[in-house]
Amino acid sequence: MPDVMADRRDAPRYPLIVVAEVTEILGGAKLTARTADVSRTGCYLDTLKPSPKGALIELQLRRGNETFKTRALVVYVKPGLGMGIRFHEHVTESQLRILDVWLGDVARNA
């Protein structure tokens, strides 16, 4: 069966596993997860208790002593497994530089 999500992706994803801290903007619920794959436009988060589809979140990804921070939207949920998120359209250039370094490291080591 083909990966139907691949047809909707607009950036290549890389198998980057990092710690993720999520805070729902409405309600303030917090959770810790880990990424399963990451692109310049979003990622998949492994978590037993995903946020609901459509939730706006504050996201922090940590790798070593660097942190990538942005707002994001939960675009799909797999109950008990995780959620796919899309980064806010206006990620700052400084945050994109951090992400680009991480993705470049993964691409070179693949």
Side-chain angles (χ1 to χ4, degrees), residues 97-109:
R97 279 193 294 274
I98 291 169
L99 192 58
D100 286 341
V101 168
W102 295 356
L103 297 177
D105 289 347
V106 172
R108 280 188 295 281
N109 294 319

Side-chain angles (χ1 to χ4, degrees), residues 1-109:
M1 173 181 246
D3 182 358
V4 294
M5 289 307 299
D7 295 340
R8 297 188 346 214
R9 294 178 181 155
D10 55 5
R13 292 200 172 212
Y14 298 92
L16 176 63
I17 298 172
V18 298
V19 173
E21 294 177 11
V22 175
T23 303
E24 289 181 18
I25 293 172
L26 297 176
K30 295 183 181 207
L31 65 96
T32 302
R34 71 176 188 159
T35 60
D37 61 355
V38 180
S39 76
R40 285 188 104 230
T41 59
C43 66
Y44 183 81
L45 298 176
D46 289 322
T47 179
L48 296 175
K49 296 182 180 180
S51 298
K53 180 179 178 180
L56 295 173
I57 61 172
E58 291 280 347
L59 177 68
Q60 291 187 27
L61 303 180
R62 297 187 192 281
R63 182 177 187 232
N65 61 358
E66 292 183 305
T67 303
F68 169 78
K69 299 178 189 177
T70 191
R71 288 191 170 197
L73 175 70
V74 177
V75 292
Y76 70 94
V77 174
K78 293 184 178 181
L81 297 174
M83 58 188 167
I85 63 164
R86 182 166 188 82
F87 301 148
H88 191 275
E89 295 171 357
H90 303 290
V91 178
T92 66
E93 285 299 318
S94 64
Q95 293 300 297
L96 280 177
R97 279 193 294 274
I98 291 169
L99 192 58
D100 286 341
V101 168
W102 295 356
L103 297 177
D105 289 347
V106 172
R108 280 188 295 281
N109 294 319

